Amino acid sequence: KSAERTNGNWAGQQYDYLANQKNEVLAKGDLFPQVGLQGKIQHNTFYPKADNLTDTSTTTKQVGVGMRQALFRADKWAAFEKAKIASQVNELQLLQQQQQFIEQVIKAYLGALQAEATTESLNAEYNALKAQDEMMQAKLQQGVVARVDSEEAKARLASVQASRYNNEVAIMNAKQQLALLTGQDIEQLDKLKMPFNYNLVSPSSIDDWLTQAQNNSLELQLAQTQVALAKKQQEELKANMYPKVDLVGNAVWQDYNNKNSTEQSGTDYSIGVEVDFPLFTGGRTKTAIEQGALQTQASLSRLIFAQQNALNLATQAYLNVMAQRATITAQEVAVAANAKVAEASQT
């Protein structure tokens, strides 16, 4: 929760999402009437060559309202449909970014806990080796053991001591990474509730996990939606081949201050239909359609890879859980064994 409130990168991703969501509203607005206010003030002066004619000055004032409404605009409708799919892509990208961000925080938190837990294991091993080394030194003075055995025990003790120092550095680095993500200093971490349930994943459930990966993977859903977006982009490009039909209307109020002019003050109303039919565009439309087809093929290829990657990641995650569970069990046994060695060495 703290990371979601204070992390600047996550905040930036949310603002990007909100900004991109406006594209659908912009595309929808293109389908509604476009109304604008027009105005003009113009002064003209005419100087005739003939001496018997006087100069003529005219001042024109115009104020008008113009309106344009799309009647048949396949390009605008396709753009709106594409914007709706793009909004879905935008939502999936935000969910994916949130998932990745949460995963980063969890990994950093567990990494810090793991480093602290490793300290307990190293301390237990150090205490056991230290007691063993003291015992070996005592036996060496009594001549019971050889010096080489004593030196080996001392070397193992020094190696564990070095591991303890390295682990302290690992703890500091892990806490700094967590602090960077959460935006606050990390002093003390809450331990996981014990006893911890290591059997969250059944060893025989890998097929179920693969099925869930295919159904719920955000990466796969994003790739599928991007294919739909690429196909809609193709439709938008093809729509440029169709005629564009708009309803156009204007109302203009005009005033002339020259009484000798043939122009009259008054109001001019006009309404009509404009048709724009593309005949030749220099090959741009055809090339754009071909480009859109290639982009669609690229999206399909990425979808195939996303399907394979989702299954691969699910398999790796499942096997990692199984391996880590076995590792935890082994570490628990090692800590208990080291404690027994230390206790036996003291007696």
Side-chain angles (χ1 to χ4, degrees):
K1 295 297 184 182
S2 174
E4 290 182 336
R5 291 193 304 268
T6 59
N7 187 273
N9 186 52
W10 169 239
Q13 290 171 339
Q14 292 180 85
Y15 283 121
D16 285 338
Y17 163 79
L18 294 174
N20 291 332
Q21 287 298 92
K22 299 297 183 182
N23 290 330
E24 182 178 348
V25 180
L26 293 173
K28 186 177 181 180
D30 244 0
L31 300 174
F32 290 99
Q34 310 298 310
V35 181
L37 182 64
Q38 306 163 351
K40 181 179 73 171
I41 299 178
Q42 181 177 333
H43 179 77
N44 294 326
T45 302
F46 177 70
Y47 300 96
K49 289 184 177 181
D51 295 335
N52 58 341
L53 297 178
T54 60
D55 299 343
T56 303
S57 297
T58 303
T59 301
T60 305
K61 299 177 183 178
Q62 290 183 345
V63 177
V65 176
M67 182 274 296
R68 179 180 292 271
Q69 169 63 54
L71 295 181
F72 178 77
R73 294 296 299 268
D75 57 331
K76 289 189 175 184
W77 182 256
F80 174 58
E81 293 291 326
K82 187 185 74 171
K84 290 197 295 184
I85 299 177
S87 294
Q88 298 175 18
V89 171
N90 194 33
E91 291 176 0
L92 289 172
Q93 286 176 335
L94 182 68
L95 289 174
Q96 187 181 50
Q97 291 166 346
Q98 184 183 33
Q99 186 182 69
Q100 293 170 348
F101 176 61
I102 293 174
E103 183 180 357
Q104 287 178 343
V105 175
I106 292 175
K107 282 184 176 180
Y109 187 86
L110 293 180
L113 283 182
Q114 183 181 24
E116 290 184 346
T118 303
T119 300
E120 298 178 7
S121 176
L122 290 174
N123 287 340
E125 185 177 1
Y126 176 80
N127 292 331
L129 290 175
K130 184 178 180 181
Q132 187 177 10
D133 178 64
E134 292 175 351
M135 181 182 65
M136 293 293 290
Q137 294 298 324
K139 290 183 178 181
L140 178 63
Q141 293 178 357
Q142 297 174 1
V144 178
V145 296
R147 177 172 295 276
V148 65
D149 295 331
S150 173
E151 293 299 327
E152 287 180 357
K154 186 174 295 184
R156 289 195 297 270
L157 181 63
S159 176
V160 173
Q161 180 65 18
S163 297
R164 293 173 66 190
Y165 293 147
N166 291 334
N167 189 65
E168 291 297 324
V169 175
I171 292 175
M172 292 176 59
N173 290 335
K175 287 186 176 182
Q176 286 180 353
Q177 179 64 24
L178 185 58
L180 176 64
L181 292 171
T182 59
Q184 62 181 14
D185 295 333
I186 306 299
E187 298 295 338
Q188 186 68 29
L189 296 175
D190 294 334
K191 304 294 183 181
L192 297 177
K193 294 182 179 180
M194 301 300 288
F196 187 74
N197 183 13
Y198 304 134
N199 300 311
L200 297 176
V201 180
S202 172
S204 61
S205 65
I206 186 169
D207 292 334
D208 295 336
W209 284 104
L210 292 177
T211 301
Q212 291 188 37
Q214 288 180 313
N215 296 334
N216 303 322
S217 170
L218 287 177
E219 181 184 4
L220 187 54
Q221 293 177 30
L222 181 59
Q224 292 170 340
T225 311
Q226 285 174 334
V227 169
L229 181 62
K231 291 181 177 179
K232 189 58 67 174
Q233 171 72 11
Q234 268 190 282
E235 293 181 14
E236 183 184 15
L237 294 171
K238 290 179 180 179
N240 290 323
M241 301 175 62
Y242 300 125
K244 301 175 177 63
V245 183
D246 292 332
L247 176 66
V248 180
N250 291 282
V252 180
W253 295 269
Q254 55 191 9
D255 176 68
Y256 294 92
N257 68 349
N258 189 347
K259 296 181 180 180
N260 296 326
S261 174
T262 57
E263 299 289 347
Q264 298 295 323
S265 300
T267 304
D268 179 25
Y269 296 97
S270 64
I271 189 169
V273 176
E274 287 186 3
V275 179
D276 179 14
F277 192 87
L279 295 178
F280 179 71
T281 60
R284 293 179 65 255
T285 302
K286 179 182 177 181
T287 303
I289 293 174
E290 292 174 350
Q291 184 185 52
L294 293 173
Q295 291 173 341
T296 301
Q297 289 300 320
S299 298
L300 288 171
S301 298
R302 284 191 286 267
L303 174 59
I304 294 174
F305 175 78
Q307 292 172 336
Q308 297 171 343
N309 192 46
L311 295 178
N312 183 52
L313 290 177
T315 302
Q316 288 182 353
Y318 177 83
L319 294 177
N320 285 337
V321 168
M322 296 296 103
Q324 290 299 322
R325 187 168 64 178
T327 301
I328 291 173
T329 302
Q331 288 177 341
E332 289 178 341
V333 174
V335 170
N338 286 328
K340 290 182 180 180
V341 171
E343 182 180 355
S345 301
Q346 294 175 356
T347 57

